[in-house]
Amino acid sequence: MSRYSKSLLLSALLALSIRVSGLGTSCSAPLGGGTAAPSDPYWLQTVQHQGTSAFNSDPSSYQVFRNVKDFGAKGDGVTDDTTAIKHVIFSPPQALTYSYPSSAMSSGGRCGGGSCNSSTVTPAIVYFPAGTYLVSSAIDTYYYTQIIGDAKKPPTLLASSSFSGFAVIDADPYIPNGWGAQWFSNQDNFYRSIRNLIIDLRQIPASTSAIGLHWQVSQATSLINIVVEMSTASNNSHQGMFMENGSGGFMGDIIFNGGKYGIQVGNQQFTVRNLTVNNAATAVSGIWNWGFTFQGVTINNCQIGFDLATGGTTTSNQTVGSEAIIDAVVTNTPVFVRSSVASNGQLAGSLVLNNIKLSNVPTAVGVTGGITVLAGGTTTIASWGQGNVYSGTSGSKNFAQGNIVSANKPSVLLDSAGRIFGKAHPQYASYAASQFISVKSQGAKGDGYTDDTAAIQNVLDEYAGCKIIFFDAGTYHVTDTITIPAGAQIVGEAWSVIMAGGSAFSDQKNPRAVIQAGAAKSQGVLEISDMVFTTAGPAPGAIMIEWNVHDPSGQQAAAGMWDSHIRLGGAAGTNMQYSQCPSGSVNSACQAAFLGIYLTSGSSAYLEGTWVWTADHDLDTSGSSDVSIFSGRGILSESHGPVWLIGTYLDIVTMLNKLAEHAALYQYSLVNARNHYIGFAQTETPYYQPSPAAPAPYSTTSSYNDPTFSSSINMAWGMYIQSSSNIIIFGAGFYSFFQNYSQNCLTTNTCQAQIFNIDSTSNVTAYSVSTVATTYQLSVSQNGVIRSSDNADGFQETFTAWSK
């Protein structure tokens, strides 16, 4: 049985065992396991598709779900399907009744080609049924696209022997003769997902350069259940994935077989979970980054595990700044990690290794040229680091190239093998289409205007626990709290949108939940995937998600959210676009939310690939015009755990010439929290601060344990931790680029005085933390401890570890 098939089987077995705390009024029995026959197509192929794009210029004719076989693709492994696949990506099949105006790209068509920066009004799922699809040139992907294959029998994209193009799937194509210009700005290349595909390069001659995925992307992007097959010939030129830039992002459950490189990556930050590379020359080639977290890595029969370009400690010479690897199993590989230059006793690329099991790996850590830093063999590395290490309130750096503090890992955060627990994006592969219930079939409109509150609540109340709730593509306007009962499983289509507005969310002194995930103290499964939550502003009293539900005993991560995002302003229908909220002013009509996600004390949560973004630019205007949108808070956790935050990002990292307004008080706040694992947390401070100074235009609220501010602490915290225990931060990036829209502070690291605070009573271990333009990287009880000037590491500054 393949590794992929085993993963699906385990998911199906888990589904059989999940209990619910209650059933909807129309339910006679719990959902139980999937009832699809082995020969049935994946449910997504056969379920009725009623999805629309509410704010498209012609929503009645715009097609969201697109089966490539409806466009002429054969999937027989012989017919060249390239033209059919490319046609489906930006226009509907001629055989159907949908019609487009002649200027398809600019009016009714997809966003791409280099003439469109971004768009939320042309979403699409490009679906591949089981089969083998021969392609002879690159499949260039358009903005706001999910490419999804049959999860039961993943289809294959087979590159022909004469394949011509940069990569089989290209997420950011280079424009021919464009002198390096590309379709999209790499740091704004949002809303992409590819799932359940096998990409096969093996018909391409081994000596010919070939790439499976060109994945230059930013936030709200994911690769899930991908396999890339490459040549295993000596000195071959195949490559599973190439990523040269961007601001990501999450990928998980991916396998690369063969090749010169499994993956070659350069990006500001990324979270990678469950990566397997077999029989490659180099499993992971690191070009540059500010910070990468790898959680769960398997490397077999490669020459080098991680080959890292290191040594760049100035802005003009960025290399791999921070690599954090946890829970790896490496077998029959001569070198696990190789740096390009020796550290020579000072920071030249931060490295953290935690729970690394080596079998026949002679060199654990080495340097190009043969120098061994850490001997390998058949052994386990418990906790080892290279870089500057700190403890307590001492600001004295200690350069380490050896064993470092090992965080206490509560058992509730671990799987049966003692690794940080991970759970794949739910895909319900064994379930039949009849086990899903459509909200549109039950009366919801999703047209962006009709009040769908009652219709949605009725569906949840009637079918939670016995049907999977399918939100057909659309924008569902709600005017009151939607309560999702424990027992519910919710799936969107091309990021279906729930948009809250009206008087219920208008008062920041009386905030109200838009989505209440479980009643207080409830237990049971609660799964949300492929959704976007937003407001039609102003909505200064909106708590976007109040998360109350807790896992049942013995069922880890039964309550979670995958590939779902909060987007505040900056998109069609929000009433907070460039025309209403141009940059540079404080307008109360542009207050988008009180709080993003609130994990209450009795909850547990598994959040993977979640982005909470207060828009800095308008995704639906020409030129992506800058906007001034305001929100109060990012993620507040008072949960006693377990909580896994894997690849969570708050506030986009746009480098230059963007005016971003993000959460005014904090991006992450942990208060009385316990048992949290956080795998790369990324934040950005509002660009307008300190004018007005935090917390304006909001006010502090003691009932939500808000931090206090002063004349010297007057900008939003990236992370603020109070009275919390057993908190593990395994990779973070806290960035501050502006003071009142000016970047003069960048070169002096004075954009913000303090950005990451831990009080004196909390028990926290932090690894691989990078900051930009802050005077202090870490504070204890609002007293600066770690100076950024001690940790230059490229454009950013990085400390390798801190513990109390």
Side-chain angles (χ1 to χ4, degrees):
M1 182 182 289
S2 71
R3 187 180 188 90
Y4 186 92
S5 298
K6 288 179 180 178
S7 176
L8 291 178
L9 177 60
L10 288 172
S11 296
L13 292 174
L14 179 61
L16 287 171
S17 67
I18 288 177
R19 293 188 293 110
V20 299
S21 62
L23 293 176
T25 57
S26 295
C27 298
S28 59
L31 179 65
T35 62
S39 60
D40 288 347
Y42 182 41
W43 68 267
L44 186 61
Q45 180 174 334
T46 55
V47 74
Q48 183 182 9
H49 288 286
Q50 307 171 84
T52 57
S53 176
F55 300 105
N56 186 274
S57 58
D58 190 0
S60 63
S61 66
Y62 182 80
Q63 184 183 5
V64 176
F65 182 83
R66 300 150 186 236
N67 185 325
V68 296
K69 288 195 172 182
D70 290 339
F71 293 75
K74 301 299 183 184
D76 58 13
V78 178
T79 306
D80 189 337
D81 286 327
T82 310
T83 299
I85 295 169
K86 287 185 174 181
H87 183 60
V88 73
I89 286 176
F90 60 84
S91 63
Q94 299 302 314
L96 299 182
T97 58
Y98 304 93
S99 62
Y100 271 72
S102 57
S103 54
M105 186 65 71
S106 61
S107 53
R110 306 296 316 290
C111 178
S115 60
C116 173
N117 296 320
S118 59
S119 172
T120 69
V121 301
T122 57
I125 289 179
V126 178
Y127 177 75
F128 286 81
T132 297
Y133 299 83
L134 184 69
V135 294
S136 56
S137 62
I139 305 303
D140 299 330
T141 65
Y142 284 59
Y143 199 88
Y144 222 104
T145 299
Q146 294 181 342
I147 298 177
I148 302 178
D150 186 320
K152 297 178 68 178
K153 299 177 181 178
T156 296
L157 291 181
L158 177 63
S160 69
S161 59
S162 58
F163 182 87
S164 174
F166 193 72
V168 174
I169 297 179
D170 195 339
D172 196 3
Y174 285 88
I175 297 172
N177 303 314
W179 301 95
Q182 292 173 271
W183 281 17
F184 306 104
S185 172
N186 64 78
Q187 293 161 339
D188 297 341
N189 197 6
F190 311 143
Y191 300 107
R192 307 299 189 85
S193 184
I194 303 176
R195 306 171 196 168
N196 314 326
L197 282 182
I198 300 167
I199 300 173
D200 195 336
L201 307 179
R202 290 176 295 183
Q203 287 196 6
I204 300 174
S207 59
T208 300
S209 178
I211 298 172
L213 290 153
H214 177 215
W215 198 241
Q216 183 173 245
V217 295
S218 298
Q219 287 88 347
T221 60
S222 61
L223 295 174
I224 300 166
N225 291 331
I226 304 295
V227 177
V228 182
E229 300 284 0
M230 295 166 279
S231 171
T232 55
S234 180
N235 299 316
N236 76 78
S237 297
H238 291 185
Q239 188 167 335
M241 182 174 68
F242 177 63
M243 175 197 297
E244 72 273 44
N245 212 324
S247 174
F250 169 80
M251 63 182 78
D253 304 303
I254 49 179
I255 300 172
F256 297 88
N257 295 318
K260 178 180 180 180
Y261 302 118
I263 64 174
Q264 187 172 41
V265 291
N267 194 289
Q268 288 176 8
Q269 67 280 314
F270 234 91
T271 301
V272 183
R273 185 189 57 74
N274 197 17
L275 165 69
T276 297
V277 184
N278 302 307
N279 303 307
T282 298
V284 178
S285 169
I287 305 170
W288 76 278
N289 67 42
W290 297 350
F292 264 57
T293 290
F294 289 86
Q295 176 194 336
V297 177
T298 302
I299 297 172
N300 296 310
N301 303 312
C302 297
Q303 294 303 304
I304 300 173
F306 286 76
D307 200 7
L308 307 178
T310 54
T313 57
T314 67
T315 300
S316 60
N317 183 25
Q318 294 187 72
T319 52
V320 172
S322 172
E323 204 87 348
I325 308 168
I326 189 169
D327 297 336
V329 177
V330 187
T331 304
N332 297 331
T333 298
V335 180
F336 173 42
V337 179
R338 185 176 76 171
S339 299
S340 62
V341 299
S343 63
N344 294 323
Q346 59 187 0
L347 179 65
S350 173
L351 176 64
V352 173
L353 306 178
N354 191 283
N355 189 31
I356 311 297
K357 298 184 184 300
L358 306 179
S359 179
N360 190 26
V361 180
T363 301
V365 181
V367 180
T368 299
I371 300 172
T372 297
V373 176
L374 176 65
T378 297
T379 186
T380 297
I381 302 169
S383 185
W384 190 95
Q386 174 179 286
N388 294 332
V389 174
Y390 297 81
S391 64
T393 58
S394 172
S396 299
K397 65 181 180 181
N398 174 29
F399 178 78
Q401 198 171 49
N403 295 333
I404 60 174
V405 60
S406 184
N408 176 51
K409 299 176 185 176
S411 60
V412 293
L413 294 174
L414 307 179
D415 63 17
S416 59
R419 296 154 60 108
I420 296 294
F421 183 84
K423 183 176 177 180
H425 184 295
Q427 302 215 57
Y428 310 109
S430 64
Y431 287 80
S434 61
Q435 295 180 280
F436 292 76
I437 189 76
S438 157
V439 296
K440 285 194 173 181
S441 293
Q442 297 298 306
K445 300 298 183 184
D447 59 11
Y449 302 101
T450 301
D451 188 344
D452 283 326
T453 309
I456 293 171
Q457 192 63 63
N458 287 341
V459 175
L460 292 167
D461 291 345
E462 288 189 32
Y463 295 102
C466 67
K467 295 281 188 180
I468 298 169
I469 313 298
F470 181 56
F471 276 78
D472 317 75
T475 298
Y476 297 86
H477 182 61
V478 300
T479 57
D480 205 346
T481 300
I482 298 294
T483 300
I484 303 175
Q489 294 160 289
I490 290 174
V491 181
E493 183 182 27
W495 293 294
S496 305
V497 179
I498 292 179
M499 182 173 69
S503 59
F505 308 110
S506 64
D507 186 358
Q508 67 164 294
K509 294 182 179 179
N510 294 286
R512 189 179 184 89
V514 175
I515 299 296
Q516 188 181 65
K521 299 182 180 180
S522 62
Q523 292 189 10
V525 60
L526 198 157
E527 296 176 339
I528 299 174
S529 56
D530 298 302
M531 297 290 294
V532 165
F533 304 96
T534 188
T535 56
I543 299 174
M544 299 308 299
I545 300 175
E546 178 187 289
W547 193 275
N548 296 310
V549 66
H550 196 285
D551 298 332
S553 177
Q555 295 183 16
Q556 289 177 295
M561 188 164 69
W562 293 260
D563 215 358
S564 295
H565 314 290
I566 293 171
R567 181 180 66 223
L568 300 171
T574 63
N575 299 327
M576 293 178 289
Q577 293 184 260
Y578 177 71
S579 59
Q580 296 98 353
C581 305
S583 61
S585 62
V586 181
N587 184 349
S588 61
C590 300
Q591 290 181 259
F594 178 87
L595 171 59
I597 300 175
Y598 178 27
L599 306 180
T600 60
S601 60
S603 68
S604 67
Y606 183 96
L607 305 183
E608 183 173 274
T610 297
W611 184 35
V612 181
W613 184 50
T614 306
D616 61 56
H617 62 282
D618 191 340
L619 297 174
D620 289 312
T621 59
S622 176
S624 300
S625 303
D626 300 328
V627 293
S628 289
I629 313 293
F630 302 87
S631 64
R633 301 149 186 84
I635 294 179
L636 169 61
S637 179
E638 298 173 353
S639 169
H640 293 176
V643 169
W644 300 265
L645 303 179
I646 298 175
T648 56
Y649 300 87
L650 284 88
D651 308 323
I652 183 178
V653 183
T654 44
M655 286 291 296
L656 298 173
N657 301 320
K658 295 290 183 185
L659 303 181
E661 333 301 343
H662 306 312
L665 281 77
Y666 58 77
Q667 317 315 317
Y668 293 85
S669 177
L670 278 63
V671 183
N672 299 314
R674 305 174 196 164
N675 304 328
H676 284 43
Y677 169 81
I678 303 173
F680 212 96
Q682 178 254 312
T683 74
E684 184 178 337
T685 302
Y687 293 178
Y688 61 83
Q689 288 181 345
S691 180
Y698 293 82
S699 56
T700 57
T701 303
S702 60
S703 58
Y704 285 87
N705 293 301
D706 284 340
T708 57
F709 295 89
S710 64
S711 59
S712 59
I713 305 296
N714 58 4
M715 299 179 74
W717 292 100
M719 182 174 285
Y720 196 86
I721 301 177
Q722 306 176 63
S723 303
S724 299
S725 60
N726 291 334
I727 310 298
I728 304 168
I729 300 166
F730 204 79
F734 304 130
Y735 311 140
S736 187
F737 292 118
F738 288 80
Q739 276 193 345
N740 193 18
Y741 305 127
S742 169
Q743 292 191 307
N744 293 335
C745 55
L746 271 179
T747 57
T748 56
N749 284 343
T750 56
C751 292
Q752 187 163 347
Q754 301 181 37
I755 198 166
F756 176 24
N757 185 75
I758 302 171
D759 73 358
S760 60
T761 67
S762 293
N763 175 12
V764 179
T765 307
Y767 300 101
S768 299
V769 175
S770 295
T771 61
V772 169
T774 62
T775 304
Y776 287 98
Q777 295 188 273
L778 181 140
S779 306
V780 176
S781 298
Q782 297 194 9
N783 295 308
V785 172
I786 300 178
R787 288 185 173 273
S788 62
S789 57
D790 288 337
N791 295 298
D793 194 24
F795 185 86
Q796 85 293 353
E797 296 79 39
T798 304
F799 67 83
T800 296
W802 178 89
S803 60
K804 188 173 178 180

